[in-house]
């Protein structure tokens, strides 16, 4: 019991809505003073400033603390903490790391707003809130941890074997940083999924987050962060976003993919071999046909040429002879009577023996009619 704190004069001096912040969460000390204690005093004299002389039958419901837009805030950006309590709660207190931070009056009797306009390493940490009605302070809310990002260089995030995976298959998200960090955290669509301890090598720290038998629920935008154990509320800048797409079609296992690739390579090589073989056969047939034509021309000379003169040369000589005979023939000369106009007489001329002067024609045989022309 704290009789001095229960006096009407003292309560009139410090009405409920004008109490100093230092008086919230106190116990009586002496006849008119108070001293700060833990933020959640217990019976037999909980919050003696407003006690009716006996302990209440039970505490207020625990309030709920949330952060907007989230728990991971870039450095320099604002964040709002909302403490939501039961109906009738009039005052709300915000605590950080066990120490009193701020107090706000409820605007609608259900919740209070605490604004952090500039997120820094000092404002990052573990927060809780409680609320109060006319006679009792509630228990503390569940802790809420605010992290500030941008303290270190961002890590890199990749998906193995691919960022597009069929439902039921496995995928590994690998987060790697050139800074030697103590831990890595993986987030999906702004919510923390898991965290873990990385492995170290000469290139820095690396950790693999394995997801077995993925489902469409695993799809989304992933980011990873790195931080150290000695300062768990200061995180690195986020990695570039990685969009994981989960398809409904059943995929192939690695063994099936290997078999399919091997079969495809074999079929391609077989097709190339058959194509080369067909090309060789075509070339061989072409050579045989060309050789047969040349051989036939050599074995079968023309029977119309008794001297064995090549056909081209014989045709040229015959054509020259006809032209000379036509020029030397008189224009008014007619075919002798009794001869067939269609009958043609050919003669083989030796151009080397021709002379400029005209010579007498040789004696003609009465049985063989001939025509002669003098060449000049």
């Amino acid at each position: 019991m704290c009789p001095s704190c229960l006096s009407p004069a003292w309560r009139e001096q410090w009405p409920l809505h004008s109490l100093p912040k230092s008086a919230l969460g106190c116990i009586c000390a002496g006849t008119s003073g108070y001293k700060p204690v833990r933020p959640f005093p217990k019976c037999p004299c909980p919050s003696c400033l407003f006690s009716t002389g006996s302990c209440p039958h039970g505490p207020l419901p625990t309030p709920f603390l949330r952060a907007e837009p989230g728990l991971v805030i870039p450095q320099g950006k604002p964040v709002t903490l909302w403490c939501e309590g039961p109906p009738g709660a009039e005052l709300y207190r915000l605590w950080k790391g066990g120490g009193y931070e701020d107090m706000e009056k409820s605007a609608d009797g259900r919740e209070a707003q605490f604004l952090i306009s500039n997120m820094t390493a000092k404002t990052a940490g573990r927060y809780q809130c409680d609320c109060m009605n006319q006679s009792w302070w509630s228990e503390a809310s569940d802790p809420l941890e605010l992290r500030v990002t941008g303290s270190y260089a961002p890590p890199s995030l990749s998906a193995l074997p691919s960022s597009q995976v069929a439902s039921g298959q496995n995928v590994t998200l690998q987060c790697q940083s050139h800074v030697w960090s103590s831990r890595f955290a993986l987030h999906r669509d702004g919510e923390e999924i898991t965290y873990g301890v990385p492995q170290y090598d000469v290139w820095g720290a690396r950790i693999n987050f394995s997801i077995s038998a993925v489902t469409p629920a695993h799809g989304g935008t992933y980011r990873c962060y790195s931080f150290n154990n000695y300062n768990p509320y200061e995180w690195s800048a986020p990695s570039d976003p990685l969009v994981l797409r989960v398809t409904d079609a059943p995929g192939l296992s690695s063994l099936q993919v290997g078999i399919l690739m091997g079969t495809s390579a074999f079929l391609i090589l077989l097709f190339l071999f058959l194509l080369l073989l067909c090309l060789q056969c075509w070339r061989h047939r072409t050579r045989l046909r060309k050789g047969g034509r040349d051989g036939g021309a050599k074995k079968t000379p023309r029977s119309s040429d008794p001297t064995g003169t090549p056909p081209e040369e014989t045709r040229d000589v015959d054509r020259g002879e006809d032209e000379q005979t036509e020029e030397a023939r008189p224009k008014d000369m007619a075919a002798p009577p009794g001869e067939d106009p269609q009958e043609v007489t050919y003669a083989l001329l030796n151009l080397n023996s021709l002379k400029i002067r005209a010579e007498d024609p040789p004696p003609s045989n009465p049985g063989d009619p001939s025509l002669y022309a003098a060449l000049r």
Side-chain angles (χ1 to χ4, degrees):
M1 299 294 295
C2 303
S4 60
C5 295
L6 298 178
S7 62
W10 200 96
R11 295 182 63 177
E12 289 177 0
Q13 181 181 359
W14 298 107
L16 176 61
H17 301 309
S18 61
L19 286 175
K21 295 181 179 180
S22 56
L24 297 177
C26 71
I27 59 174
C28 298
T31 58
S32 60
Y34 53 84
K35 64 179 181 179
V37 293
R38 295 178 59 85
F40 316 116
K42 302 294 184 180
C43 287
C45 187
S47 186
C48 64
L49 297 177
F50 309 107
S51 176
T52 59
S54 62
C55 293
H57 296 291
L60 293 175
T62 302
F64 175 73
L65 182 63
R66 70 181 189 275
E68 293 181 358
L71 299 178
V72 181
I73 308 299
Q75 191 170 5
K77 298 295 182 179
V79 60
T80 302
L81 302 179
W82 293 89
C83 186
E84 182 179 357
E90 299 180 2
L91 288 180
Y92 289 84
R93 291 181 301 186
L94 183 67
W95 303 83
K96 179 188 174 189
Y100 171 72
E101 188 71 17
D102 196 5
M103 179 187 68
E104 291 290 341
K105 178 184 176 182
S106 175
D108 56 0
R110 291 297 302 269
E111 61 183 2
Q113 174 185 357
F114 301 92
L115 176 63
I116 301 176
S117 59
N118 184 18
M119 191 67 179
T120 63
K122 292 183 177 180
T123 57
R126 183 186 179 100
Y127 287 85
Q128 289 176 287
C129 74
D130 61 353
C131 60
M132 174 189 171
N133 59 13
Q134 289 288 338
S135 59
W136 188 262
W137 281 105
S138 70
E139 295 287 344
S141 65
D142 292 334
L144 182 147
E145 296 181 344
L146 285 182
R147 288 104 171 186
V148 60
T149 63
S151 300
Y152 314 104
S156 61
L157 182 63
S158 59
L160 302 175
S162 174
S163 60
Q164 184 169 347
V165 60
S167 180
Q169 300 299 312
N170 302 332
V171 66
T172 299
L173 302 181
Q174 186 178 89
C175 189
Q176 185 172 1
S177 174
H178 297 293
V179 179
W180 282 41
S181 304
S182 302
R183 297 201 174 203
F184 284 85
L186 182 66
H187 283 217
R188 182 184 68 214
D189 298 332
E191 296 183 1
E192 183 174 335
I193 301 300
T194 184
Y195 63 91
V197 179
Q199 297 178 347
Y200 303 97
D201 51 30
V202 295
W203 294 281
R206 182 180 66 252
I207 187 172
N208 293 330
F209 298 101
S210 299
I211 305 177
S212 301
V214 297
T215 64
H218 291 103
T221 302
Y222 287 80
R223 289 180 174 87
C224 71
Y225 303 82
S226 62
F227 61 96
N228 294 304
N229 289 332
Y230 60 83
N231 199 351
Y233 303 115
E234 295 184 29
W235 285 15
S236 69
S239 65
D240 292 334
L242 174 68
V243 179
L244 184 65
R245 295 182 176 89
V246 181
T247 59
D248 294 334
L252 298 176
S253 63
S254 58
L255 179 60
Q256 291 174 331
V257 172
I259 294 175
L260 182 60
M261 294 180 61
T263 304
S264 302
F266 173 77
L267 292 177
I268 292 175
L269 292 177
L270 180 61
F271 173 77
L272 294 177
F273 174 77
L274 294 177
L275 184 62
L276 181 61
L277 184 61
C278 292
L279 183 61
Q280 292 294 335
C281 292
W282 179 78
R283 290 182 177 178
H284 182 66
R285 289 182 180 179
T286 304
R287 291 174 182 174
L288 289 179
R289 290 176 182 175
K290 186 176 180 181
R293 293 174 183 174
D294 296 340
K298 293 180 180 179
K299 293 180 182 180
T300 311
R302 292 182 178 270
S303 58
S304 62
D305 188 3
T307 60
T309 305
E312 294 82 1
E313 187 175 340
T314 302
R315 288 194 295 269
D316 295 339
V317 173
D318 293 342
R319 188 182 302 108
E321 181 182 347
D322 293 341
E323 293 175 358
Q324 294 176 3
T325 304
E326 292 293 335
E327 293 175 359
R329 182 183 301 174
K331 295 182 180 180
D332 57 348
M333 186 178 296
E339 290 185 358
D340 187 1
Q342 301 296 330
E343 183 178 356
V344 179
T345 301
Y346 295 92
L348 180 63
L349 299 179
N350 188 354
L351 300 178
N352 296 327
S353 63
L354 296 177
K355 298 180 180 179
I356 299 176
R357 63 184 179 84
E359 295 182 355
D360 296 332
S364 60
N365 189 357
D368 298 326
S370 302
L371 290 177
Y372 293 92
L375 303 176
R376 295 181 184 275

